[in-house]
Amino acid sequence: MQREERAMDAALDAILQRVVDIKGSLQELVVKVEREGEQADWPSYLNSFSVISAQIYTLMKLLKNEKTPILRNYLTLPLQLNADPDEKLLVATEGRVPSFSHDFVPNMLRTKPEPDVEQRHLALEAKMAQVNADTAQKQINVHNKVVKHVMDLVNTAREEWETETASRTNQPQTCSINETQALIAALGTGKGFKIRTQPPGPSPTMTQQPPPQINTANKAVSAVKTNIKAATAIHPYSR
């Protein structure tokens, strides 16, 4: 128990230090924006954003660390309330919470709902009070019937899925893993193949025959001479 408490205290101290660093960087950025405004140097803004991003990343890494306890598994409960001002609490909250009284605890520790949620809850209770008992019982029965029908559909689908899965696992094996691996090795690397060697002796040679000669006869080209005579046509009615 003491070991867990020590680990919790160390984790809270480290987380608180990271949060304080992020808070300081944000305050510096806000002051820079308020004082310099648009006249500020843009690279300085980029540097501020880079520092804040790195600090947030460090905080998230610390929260996700295996040695850091899971904080959502722990509850924060008020052990003692006091209406008198508390100086340590005032310093820790930078003057926002002067005392740990009944006015601050419900809002800080969420021991009561938000005002909007509380108003909606009261409105629903008032509406429920106006409904007749028989009508309310009928609506409850219809709702239960619908829920039961949906549950039956879900259970039926689950049984079918489990049956199908079981039938797949119970099917006989139609292949051999060893033979498949041997086939892949044979196709990929040639494992298991035997190389045939030729017996010693003179290798048969093929006699090359000269290609046949084709006698081409000279073709006599007959020259045809054509004389074209242009005759002058004399018109019979020329003068």
Side-chain angles (χ1 to χ4, degrees):
M1 189 66 181
Q2 294 180 356
R3 185 177 180 181
E4 294 180 357
E5 292 180 356
R6 292 177 182 176
M8 175 62 69
D9 293 338
L12 290 177
D13 292 339
I15 293 171
L16 182 61
Q17 184 62 37
R18 300 295 185 276
V19 173
V20 170
D21 295 339
I22 296 173
K23 183 179 178 181
S25 300
L26 291 174
Q27 289 178 351
E28 292 178 359
L29 180 60
V30 171
V31 171
K32 184 184 297 184
V33 172
E34 291 179 351
R35 290 182 178 180
E36 299 179 1
E38 297 180 356
Q39 298 179 357
D41 190 11
W42 181 248
S44 63
Y45 282 117
L46 294 179
N47 293 332
S48 300
F49 283 121
S50 299
V51 171
I52 295 172
S53 178
Q55 291 174 349
I56 294 175
Y57 175 77
T58 305
L59 177 61
M60 296 301 296
K61 187 176 181 181
L62 178 62
L63 293 174
K64 294 179 181 179
N65 192 3
E66 296 179 355
K67 296 181 180 180
T68 303
I70 302 176
L71 300 179
R72 62 173 174 268
N73 294 338
Y74 295 89
L75 299 176
T76 303
L77 299 176
L79 300 179
Q80 184 179 2
L81 300 179
N82 189 4
D84 297 334
D86 190 352
E87 295 181 357
K88 294 183 179 180
L89 183 62
L90 191 64
V91 173
T93 58
E94 297 182 354
R96 291 190 298 271
V97 181
S99 62
F100 205 61
S101 62
H102 296 78
D103 296 333
F104 293 98
V105 169
N107 294 327
M108 294 177 59
L109 301 181
R110 296 292 187 269
T111 56
K112 71 175 183 179
E114 295 290 337
D116 297 338
V117 177
E118 190 173 2
Q119 291 178 2
R120 293 180 182 179
H121 184 69
L122 294 176
L124 291 175
E125 288 183 351
K127 184 177 180 180
M128 182 178 63
Q130 295 176 359
V131 178
N132 191 7
D134 296 336
T135 305
Q137 188 63 35
K138 290 180 181 179
Q139 293 178 356
I140 292 173
N141 294 333
V142 171
H143 177 72
N144 292 334
K145 186 176 180 180
V146 172
V147 172
K148 184 179 179 181
H149 180 65
V150 173
M151 290 297 297
D152 293 339
L153 292 177
V154 173
N155 292 329
T156 303
R158 180 181 179 181
E159 291 177 358
E160 292 178 356
W161 177 74
E162 290 179 352
T163 304
E164 184 179 358
T165 304
S167 62
R168 288 180 180 178
T169 55
N170 295 330
Q171 288 181 356
Q173 187 176 1
T174 58
C175 63
S176 176
I177 299 177
N178 296 329
E179 293 180 358
T180 303
Q181 293 179 355
L183 180 60
I184 293 173
L187 294 176
T189 61
K191 184 179 180 180
F193 285 101
K194 295 181 179 180
I195 301 175
R196 296 180 60 184
T197 58
Q198 295 182 356
S203 59
T205 58
M206 297 178 63
T207 58
Q208 297 181 356
Q209 297 180 358
Q213 296 181 358
I214 300 174
N215 296 325
T216 58
N218 295 327
K219 295 182 179 180
V221 180
S222 61
V224 179
K225 296 181 179 180
T226 305
N227 294 327
I228 300 174
K229 295 181 180 181
T232 58
I234 301 173
H235 200 276
Y237 299 101
S238 61
R239 294 180 182 179

PDB file of all heavy atoms in Angstrom, residues 7-40:
ATOM      1  N   ALA A   7       4.246   5.822  -5.350  1.00  0.00           N
ATOM      2  CA  ALA A   7       4.189   5.947  -6.809  1.00  0.00           C
ATOM      3  C   ALA A   7       3.165   6.995  -7.228  1.00  0.00           C
ATOM      4  O   ALA A   7       3.403   7.790  -8.151  1.00  0.00           O
ATOM      5  CB  ALA A   7       3.852   4.591  -7.433  1.00  0.00           C
ATOM      6  N   MET A   8       2.024   7.036  -6.519  1.00  0.00           N
ATOM      7  CA  MET A   8       1.008   8.033  -6.829  1.00  0.00           C
ATOM      8  C   MET A   8       1.512   9.444  -6.538  1.00  0.00           C
ATOM      9  O   MET A   8       1.313  10.372  -7.339  1.00  0.00           O
ATOM     10  CB  MET A   8      -0.254   7.736  -6.025  1.00  0.00           C
ATOM     11  CG  MET A   8      -1.348   8.788  -6.173  1.00  0.00           C
ATOM     12  SD  MET A   8      -1.956   8.934  -7.864  1.00  0.00           S
ATOM     13  CE  MET A   8      -2.799   7.374  -8.023  1.00  0.00           C
ATOM     14  N   ASP A   9       2.178   9.619  -5.414  1.00  0.00           N
ATOM     15  CA  ASP A   9       2.707  10.946  -5.067  1.00  0.00           C
ATOM     16  C   ASP A   9       3.757  11.403  -6.081  1.00  0.00           C
ATOM     17  O   ASP A   9       3.755  12.568  -6.515  1.00  0.00           O
ATOM     18  CB  ASP A   9       3.312  10.914  -3.662  1.00  0.00           C
ATOM     19  CG  ASP A   9       2.252  10.686  -2.589  1.00  0.00           C
ATOM     20  OD1 ASP A   9       1.067  10.968  -2.875  1.00  0.00           O
ATOM     21  OD2 ASP A   9       2.613  10.221  -1.484  1.00  0.00           O
ATOM     22  N   ALA A  10       4.640  10.488  -6.470  1.00  0.00           N
ATOM     23  CA  ALA A  10       5.670  10.852  -7.449  1.00  0.00           C
ATOM     24  C   ALA A  10       5.049  11.201  -8.796  1.00  0.00           C
ATOM     25  O   ALA A  10       5.454  12.173  -9.459  1.00  0.00           O
ATOM     26  CB  ALA A  10       6.666   9.703  -7.600  1.00  0.00           C
ATOM     27  N   ALA A  11       4.047  10.425  -9.207  1.00  0.00           N
ATOM     28  CA  ALA A  11       3.389  10.705 -10.484  1.00  0.00           C
ATOM     29  C   ALA A  11       2.656  12.038 -10.447  1.00  0.00           C
ATOM     30  O   ALA A  11       2.713  12.824 -11.402  1.00  0.00           O
ATOM     31  CB  ALA A  11       2.423   9.572 -10.828  1.00  0.00           C
ATOM     32  N   LEU A  12       1.971  12.321  -9.341  1.00  0.00           N
ATOM     33  CA  LEU A  12       1.251  13.591  -9.230  1.00  0.00           C
ATOM     34  C   LEU A  12       2.210  14.778  -9.218  1.00  0.00           C
ATOM     35  O   LEU A  12       1.923  15.826  -9.823  1.00  0.00           O
ATOM     36  CB  LEU A  12       0.387  13.586  -7.967  1.00  0.00           C
ATOM     37  CG  LEU A  12      -0.823  12.644  -7.985  1.00  0.00           C
ATOM     38  CD1 LEU A  12      -1.541  12.686  -6.642  1.00  0.00           C
ATOM     39  CD2 LEU A  12      -1.775  13.011  -9.110  1.00  0.00           C
ATOM     40  N   ASP A  13       3.344  14.631  -8.545  1.00  0.00           N
ATOM     41  CA  ASP A  13       4.328  15.716  -8.536  1.00  0.00           C
ATOM     42  C   ASP A  13       4.867  15.982  -9.942  1.00  0.00           C
ATOM     43  O   ASP A  13       5.003  17.145 -10.366  1.00  0.00           O
ATOM     44  CB  ASP A  13       5.477  15.374  -7.587  1.00  0.00           C
ATOM     45  CG  ASP A  13       5.024  15.358  -6.128  1.00  0.00           C
ATOM     46  OD1 ASP A  13       3.984  15.985  -5.831  1.00  0.00           O
ATOM     47  OD2 ASP A  13       5.700  14.704  -5.302  1.00  0.00           O
ATOM     48  N   ALA A  14       5.175  14.901 -10.676  1.00  0.00           N
ATOM     49  CA  ALA A  14       5.687  15.073 -12.038  1.00  0.00           C
ATOM     50  C   ALA A  14       4.634  15.690 -12.952  1.00  0.00           C
ATOM     51  O   ALA A  14       4.927  16.597 -13.747  1.00  0.00           O
ATOM     52  CB  ALA A  14       6.145  13.721 -12.592  1.00  0.00           C
ATOM     53  N   ILE A  15       3.393  15.223 -12.830  1.00  0.00           N
ATOM     54  CA  ILE A  15       2.317  15.781 -13.661  1.00  0.00           C
ATOM     55  C   ILE A  15       2.077  17.244 -13.318  1.00  0.00           C
ATOM     56  O   ILE A  15       1.886  18.092 -14.208  1.00  0.00           O
ATOM     57  CB  ILE A  15       1.032  14.948 -13.474  1.00  0.00           C
ATOM     58  CG1 ILE A  15       1.228  13.543 -14.050  1.00  0.00           C
ATOM     59  CG2 ILE A  15      -0.153  15.626 -14.141  1.00  0.00           C
ATOM     60  CD1 ILE A  15       0.094  12.593 -13.718  1.00  0.00           C
ATOM     61  N   LEU A  16       2.094  17.562 -12.028  1.00  0.00           N
ATOM     62  CA  LEU A  16       1.884  18.949 -11.609  1.00  0.00           C
ATOM     63  C   LEU A  16       2.989  19.857 -12.141  1.00  0.00           C
ATOM     64  O   LEU A  16       2.719  20.989 -12.574  1.00  0.00           O
ATOM     65  CB  LEU A  16       1.828  19.016 -10.080  1.00  0.00           C
ATOM     66  CG  LEU A  16       1.561  20.393  -9.471  1.00  0.00           C
ATOM     67  CD1 LEU A  16       0.217  20.930  -9.936  1.00  0.00           C
ATOM     68  CD2 LEU A  16       1.606  20.324  -7.946  1.00  0.00           C
ATOM     69  N   GLN A  17       4.220  19.368 -12.146  1.00  0.00           N
ATOM     70  CA  GLN A  17       5.323  20.172 -12.673  1.00  0.00           C
ATOM     71  C   GLN A  17       5.159  20.422 -14.167  1.00  0.00           C
ATOM     72  O   GLN A  17       5.376  21.543 -14.654  1.00  0.00           O
ATOM     73  CB  GLN A  17       6.653  19.458 -12.397  1.00  0.00           C
ATOM     74  CG  GLN A  17       7.874  20.248 -12.818  1.00  0.00           C
ATOM     75  CD  GLN A  17       8.006  21.561 -12.075  1.00  0.00           C
ATOM     76  OE1 GLN A  17       7.685  21.636 -10.882  1.00  0.00           O
ATOM     77  NE2 GLN A  17       8.461  22.607 -12.759  1.00  0.00           N
ATOM     78  N   ARG A  18       4.738  19.406 -14.908  1.00  0.00           N
ATOM     79  CA  ARG A  18       4.512  19.586 -16.351  1.00  0.00           C
ATOM     80  C   ARG A  18       3.368  20.566 -16.605  1.00  0.00           C
ATOM     81  O   ARG A  18       3.444  21.401 -17.518  1.00  0.00           O
ATOM     82  CB  ARG A  18       4.192  18.237 -17.000  1.00  0.00           C
ATOM     83  CG  ARG A  18       5.280  17.189 -16.867  1.00  0.00           C
ATOM     84  CD  ARG A  18       6.548  17.587 -17.610  1.00  0.00           C
ATOM     85  NE  ARG A  18       7.546  16.537 -17.571  1.00  0.00           N
ATOM     86  CZ  ARG A  18       8.393  16.328 -16.586  1.00  0.00           C
ATOM     87  NH1 ARG A  18       8.349  17.109 -15.505  1.00  0.00           N
ATOM     88  NH2 ARG A  18       9.292  15.360 -16.636  1.00  0.00           N
ATOM     89  N   VAL A  19       2.328  20.477 -15.798  1.00  0.00           N
ATOM     90  CA  VAL A  19       1.197  21.397 -15.968  1.00  0.00           C
ATOM     91  C   VAL A  19       1.612  22.830 -15.656  1.00  0.00           C
ATOM     92  O   VAL A  19       1.204  23.777 -16.348  1.00  0.00           O
ATOM     93  CB  VAL A  19       0.023  20.951 -15.076  1.00  0.00           C
ATOM     94  CG1 VAL A  19      -1.092  21.989 -15.094  1.00  0.00           C
ATOM     95  CG2 VAL A  19      -0.520  19.607 -15.545  1.00  0.00           C
ATOM     96  N   VAL A  20       2.439  22.999 -14.638  1.00  0.00           N
ATOM     97  CA  VAL A  20       2.929  24.348 -14.300  1.00  0.00           C
ATOM     98  C   VAL A  20       3.772  24.910 -15.445  1.00  0.00           C
ATOM     99  O   VAL A  20       3.668  26.100 -15.788  1.00  0.00           O
ATOM    100  CB  VAL A  20       3.727  24.298 -12.984  1.00  0.00           C
ATOM    101  CG1 VAL A  20       4.446  25.618 -12.745  1.00  0.00           C
ATOM    102  CG2 VAL A  20       2.797  23.992 -11.814  1.00  0.00           C
ATOM    103  N   ASP A  21       4.587  24.070 -16.073  1.00  0.00           N
ATOM    104  CA  ASP A  21       5.394  24.535 -17.210  1.00  0.00           C
ATOM    105  C   ASP A  21       4.498  24.971 -18.377  1.00  0.00           C
ATOM    106  O   ASP A  21       4.735  26.015 -19.005  1.00  0.00           O
ATOM    107  CB  ASP A  21       6.341  23.422 -17.659  1.00  0.00           C
ATOM    108  CG  ASP A  21       7.370  23.088 -16.586  1.00  0.00           C
ATOM    109  OD1 ASP A  21       7.605  23.944 -15.700  1.00  0.00           O
ATOM    110  OD2 ASP A  21       7.930  21.970 -16.628  1.00  0.00           O
ATOM    111  N   ILE A  22       3.482  24.175 -18.671  1.00  0.00           N
ATOM    112  CA  ILE A  22       2.563  24.535 -19.757  1.00  0.00           C
ATOM    113  C   ILE A  22       1.830  25.830 -19.430  1.00  0.00           C
ATOM    114  O   ILE A  22       1.646  26.703 -20.296  1.00  0.00           O
ATOM    115  CB  ILE A  22       1.570  23.385 -20.012  1.00  0.00           C
ATOM    116  CG1 ILE A  22       2.308  22.147 -20.511  1.00  0.00           C
ATOM    117  CG2 ILE A  22       0.509  23.799 -21.018  1.00  0.00           C
ATOM    118  CD1 ILE A  22       1.431  20.923 -20.624  1.00  0.00           C
ATOM    119  N   LYS A  23       1.430  25.969 -18.196  1.00  0.00           N
ATOM    120  CA  LYS A  23       0.723  27.185 -17.779  1.00  0.00           C
ATOM    121  C   LYS A  23       1.615  28.410 -17.927  1.00  0.00           C
ATOM    122  O   LYS A  23       1.176  29.471 -18.407  1.00  0.00           O
ATOM    123  CB  LYS A  23       0.262  27.025 -16.332  1.00  0.00           C
ATOM    124  CG  LYS A  23      -0.544  28.190 -15.810  1.00  0.00           C
ATOM    125  CD  LYS A  23      -0.975  27.930 -14.378  1.00  0.00           C
ATOM    126  CE  LYS A  23      -1.754  29.108 -13.825  1.00  0.00           C
ATOM    127  NZ  LYS A  23      -2.152  28.876 -12.406  1.00  0.00           N
ATOM    128  N   GLY A  24       2.890  28.291 -17.537  1.00  0.00           N
ATOM    129  CA  GLY A  24       3.809  29.415 -17.685  1.00  0.00           C
ATOM    130  C   GLY A  24       4.027  29.791 -19.140  1.00  0.00           C
ATOM    131  O   GLY A  24       4.058  30.984 -19.494  1.00  0.00           O
ATOM    132  N   SER A  25       4.150  28.795 -20.008  1.00  0.00           N
ATOM    133  CA  SER A  25       4.334  29.085 -21.434  1.00  0.00           C
ATOM    134  C   SER A  25       3.098  29.763 -22.020  1.00  0.00           C
ATOM    135  O   SER A  25       3.208  30.698 -22.829  1.00  0.00           O
ATOM    136  CB  SER A  25       4.636  27.791 -22.187  1.00  0.00           C
ATOM    137  OG  SER A  25       5.813  27.179 -21.693  1.00  0.00           O
ATOM    138  N   LEU A  26       1.919  29.322 -21.617  1.00  0.00           N
ATOM    139  CA  LEU A  26       0.690  29.958 -22.104  1.00  0.00           C
ATOM    140  C   LEU A  26       0.575  31.395 -21.608  1.00  0.00           C
ATOM    141  O   LEU A  26       0.144  32.290 -22.360  1.00  0.00           O
ATOM    142  CB  LEU A  26      -0.526  29.140 -21.659  1.00  0.00           C
ATOM    143  CG  LEU A  26      -0.698  27.767 -22.321  1.00  0.00           C
ATOM    144  CD1 LEU A  26      -1.852  27.008 -21.672  1.00  0.00           C
ATOM    145  CD2 LEU A  26      -0.951  27.918 -23.814  1.00  0.00           C
ATOM    146  N   GLN A  27       0.952  31.633 -20.374  1.00  0.00           N
ATOM    147  CA  GLN A  27       0.913  32.999 -19.855  1.00  0.00           C
ATOM    148  C   GLN A  27       1.881  33.907 -20.608  1.00  0.00           C
ATOM    149  O   GLN A  27       1.542  35.057 -20.936  1.00  0.00           O
ATOM    150  CB  GLN A  27       1.239  32.989 -18.362  1.00  0.00           C
ATOM    151  CG  GLN A  27       0.140  32.399 -17.492  1.00  0.00           C
ATOM    152  CD  GLN A  27       0.515  32.358 -16.030  1.00  0.00           C
ATOM    153  OE1 GLN A  27       1.661  32.620 -15.661  1.00  0.00           O
ATOM    154  NE2 GLN A  27      -0.452  32.020 -15.179  1.00  0.00           N
ATOM    155  N   GLU A  28       3.065  33.404 -20.907  1.00  0.00           N
ATOM    156  CA  GLU A  28       4.020  34.203 -21.683  1.00  0.00           C
ATOM    157  C   GLU A  28       3.479  34.515 -23.076  1.00  0.00           C
ATOM    158  O   GLU A  28       3.635  35.640 -23.580  1.00  0.00           O
ATOM    159  CB  GLU A  28       5.345  33.456 -21.786  1.00  0.00           C
ATOM    160  CG  GLU A  28       6.081  33.320 -20.465  1.00  0.00           C
ATOM    161  CD  GLU A  28       7.368  32.535 -20.614  1.00  0.00           C
ATOM    162  OE1 GLU A  28       7.654  32.091 -21.753  1.00  0.00           O
ATOM    163  OE2 GLU A  28       8.086  32.361 -19.604  1.00  0.00           O
ATOM    164  N   LEU A  29       2.824  33.546 -23.693  1.00  0.00           N
ATOM    165  CA  LEU A  29       2.262  33.780 -25.021  1.00  0.00           C
ATOM    166  C   LEU A  29       1.133  34.808 -24.971  1.00  0.00           C
ATOM    167  O   LEU A  29       1.040  35.686 -25.841  1.00  0.00           O
ATOM    168  CB  LEU A  29       1.749  32.459 -25.601  1.00  0.00           C
ATOM    169  CG  LEU A  29       1.121  32.533 -26.993  1.00  0.00           C
ATOM    170  CD1 LEU A  29       2.121  33.052 -28.018  1.00  0.00           C
ATOM    171  CD2 LEU A  29       0.586  31.168 -27.414  1.00  0.00           C
ATOM    172  N   VAL A  30       0.285  34.730 -23.945  1.00  0.00           N
ATOM    173  CA  VAL A  30      -0.809  35.699 -23.819  1.00  0.00           C
ATOM    174  C   VAL A  30      -0.262  37.105 -23.592  1.00  0.00           C
ATOM    175  O   VAL A  30      -0.744  38.090 -24.180  1.00  0.00           O
ATOM    176  CB  VAL A  30      -1.754  35.269 -22.680  1.00  0.00           C
ATOM    177  CG1 VAL A  30      -2.769  36.365 -22.391  1.00  0.00           C
ATOM    178  CG2 VAL A  30      -2.480  33.984 -23.044  1.00  0.00           C
ATOM    179  N   VAL A  31       0.750  37.218 -22.751  1.00  0.00           N
ATOM    180  CA  VAL A  31       1.364  38.534 -22.509  1.00  0.00           C
ATOM    181  C   VAL A  31       1.989  39.081 -23.784  1.00  0.00           C
ATOM    182  O   VAL A  31       1.879  40.280 -24.099  1.00  0.00           O
ATOM    183  CB  VAL A  31       2.412  38.418 -21.383  1.00  0.00           C
ATOM    184  CG1 VAL A  31       3.212  39.710 -21.270  1.00  0.00           C
ATOM    185  CG2 VAL A  31       1.729  38.111 -20.057  1.00  0.00           C
ATOM    186  N   LYS A  32       2.624  38.227 -24.548  1.00  0.00           N
ATOM    187  CA  LYS A  32       3.233  38.667 -25.805  1.00  0.00           C
ATOM    188  C   LYS A  32       2.173  39.155 -26.785  1.00  0.00           C
ATOM    189  O   LYS A  32       2.355  40.175 -27.468  1.00  0.00           O
ATOM    190  CB  LYS A  32       4.025  37.510 -26.411  1.00  0.00           C
ATOM    191  CG  LYS A  32       4.790  37.879 -27.672  1.00  0.00           C
ATOM    192  CD  LYS A  32       5.466  36.659 -28.265  1.00  0.00           C
ATOM    193  CE  LYS A  32       6.497  36.094 -27.309  1.00  0.00           C
ATOM    194  NZ  LYS A  32       7.230  34.950 -27.919  1.00  0.00           N
ATOM    195  N   VAL A  33       1.055  38.445 -26.843  1.00  0.00           N
ATOM    196  CA  VAL A  33      -0.020  38.864 -27.755  1.00  0.00           C
ATOM    197  C   VAL A  33      -0.623  40.190 -27.307  1.00  0.00           C
ATOM    198  O   VAL A  33      -0.922  41.071 -28.128  1.00  0.00           O
ATOM    199  CB  VAL A  33      -1.092  37.760 -27.831  1.00  0.00           C
ATOM    200  CG1 VAL A  33      -2.313  38.249 -28.609  1.00  0.00           C
ATOM    201  CG2 VAL A  33      -0.528  36.515 -28.494  1.00  0.00           C
ATOM    202  N   GLU A  34      -0.816  40.365 -25.997  1.00  0.00           N
ATOM    203  CA  GLU A  34      -1.430  41.598 -25.512  1.00  0.00           C
ATOM    204  C   GLU A  34      -0.498  42.801 -25.661  1.00  0.00           C
ATOM    205  O   GLU A  34      -0.956  43.911 -25.955  1.00  0.00           O
ATOM    206  CB  GLU A  34      -1.827  41.424 -24.044  1.00  0.00           C
ATOM    207  CG  GLU A  34      -2.982  40.447 -23.842  1.00  0.00           C
ATOM    208  CD  GLU A  34      -3.322  40.275 -22.375  1.00  0.00           C
ATOM    209  OE1 GLU A  34      -2.548  40.789 -21.527  1.00  0.00           O
ATOM    210  OE2 GLU A  34      -4.340  39.621 -22.074  1.00  0.00           O
ATOM    211  N   ARG A  35       0.779  42.618 -25.474  1.00  0.00           N
ATOM    212  CA  ARG A  35       1.712  43.747 -25.529  1.00  0.00           C
ATOM    213  C   ARG A  35       2.126  44.081 -26.959  1.00  0.00           C
ATOM    214  O   ARG A  35       2.057  45.233 -27.383  1.00  0.00           O
ATOM    215  CB  ARG A  35       2.958  43.443 -24.695  1.00  0.00           C
ATOM    216  CG  ARG A  35       2.699  43.426 -23.192  1.00  0.00           C
ATOM    217  CD  ARG A  35       3.990  43.175 -22.443  1.00  0.00           C
ATOM    218  NE  ARG A  35       3.775  43.192 -20.994  1.00  0.00           N
ATOM    219  CZ  ARG A  35       4.747  42.988 -20.100  1.00  0.00           C
ATOM    220  NH1 ARG A  35       5.997  42.741 -20.509  1.00  0.00           N
ATOM    221  NH2 ARG A  35       4.471  43.019 -18.807  1.00  0.00           N
ATOM    222  N   GLU A  36       2.536  43.082 -27.688  1.00  0.00           N
ATOM    223  CA  GLU A  36       3.086  43.347 -29.015  1.00  0.00           C
ATOM    224  C   GLU A  36       2.016  43.322 -30.103  1.00  0.00           C
ATOM    225  O   GLU A  36       2.052  44.132 -31.021  1.00  0.00           O
ATOM    226  CB  GLU A  36       4.180  42.320 -29.325  1.00  0.00           C
ATOM    227  CG  GLU A  36       5.339  42.378 -28.327  1.00  0.00           C
ATOM    228  CD  GLU A  36       6.393  41.340 -28.621  1.00  0.00           C
ATOM    229  OE1 GLU A  36       6.209  40.594 -29.616  1.00  0.00           O
ATOM    230  OE2 GLU A  36       7.383  41.253 -27.872  1.00  0.00           O
ATOM    231  N   GLY A  37       1.073  42.397 -30.003  1.00  0.00           N
ATOM    232  CA  GLY A  37       0.006  42.339 -30.992  1.00  0.00           C
ATOM    233  C   GLY A  37       0.531  41.955 -32.365  1.00  0.00           C
ATOM    234  O   GLY A  37       1.341  41.038 -32.530  1.00  0.00           O
ATOM    235  N   GLU A  38       0.080  42.701 -33.377  1.00  0.00           N
ATOM    236  CA  GLU A  38       0.489  42.403 -34.745  1.00  0.00           C
ATOM    237  C   GLU A  38       1.928  42.807 -35.033  1.00  0.00           C
ATOM    238  O   GLU A  38       2.505  42.387 -36.038  1.00  0.00           O
ATOM    239  CB  GLU A  38      -0.443  43.107 -35.725  1.00  0.00           C
ATOM    240  CG  GLU A  38      -1.893  42.644 -35.640  1.00  0.00           C
ATOM    241  CD  GLU A  38      -2.781  43.372 -36.617  1.00  0.00           C
ATOM    242  OE1 GLU A  38      -2.253  44.288 -37.298  1.00  0.00           O
ATOM    243  OE2 GLU A  38      -3.976  43.044 -36.705  1.00  0.00           O
ATOM    244  N   GLN A  39       2.506  43.644 -34.191  1.00  0.00           N
ATOM    245  CA  GLN A  39       3.874  44.089 -34.408  1.00  0.00           C
ATOM    246  C   GLN A  39       4.909  43.077 -33.930  1.00  0.00           C
ATOM    247  O   GLN A  39       6.106  43.293 -34.114  1.00  0.00           O
ATOM    248  CB  GLN A  39       4.102  45.424 -33.683  1.00  0.00           C
ATOM    249  CG  GLN A  39       3.217  46.551 -34.194  1.00  0.00           C
ATOM    250  CD  GLN A  39       3.448  47.841 -33.443  1.00  0.00           C
ATOM    251  OE1 GLN A  39       4.244  47.879 -32.495  1.00  0.00           O
ATOM    252  NE2 GLN A  39       2.757  48.897 -33.857  1.00  0.00           N
ATOM    253  N   ALA A  40       4.468  42.010 -33.326  1.00  0.00           N
ATOM    254  CA  ALA A  40       5.402  41.003 -32.823  1.00  0.00           C
ATOM    255  C   ALA A  40       6.046  40.246 -33.980  1.00  0.00           C
ATOM    256  O   ALA A  40       5.508  40.174 -35.091  1.00  0.00           O
ATOM    257  CB  ALA A  40       4.680  40.030 -31.902  1.00  0.00           C
TER     258      ALA A  40
END
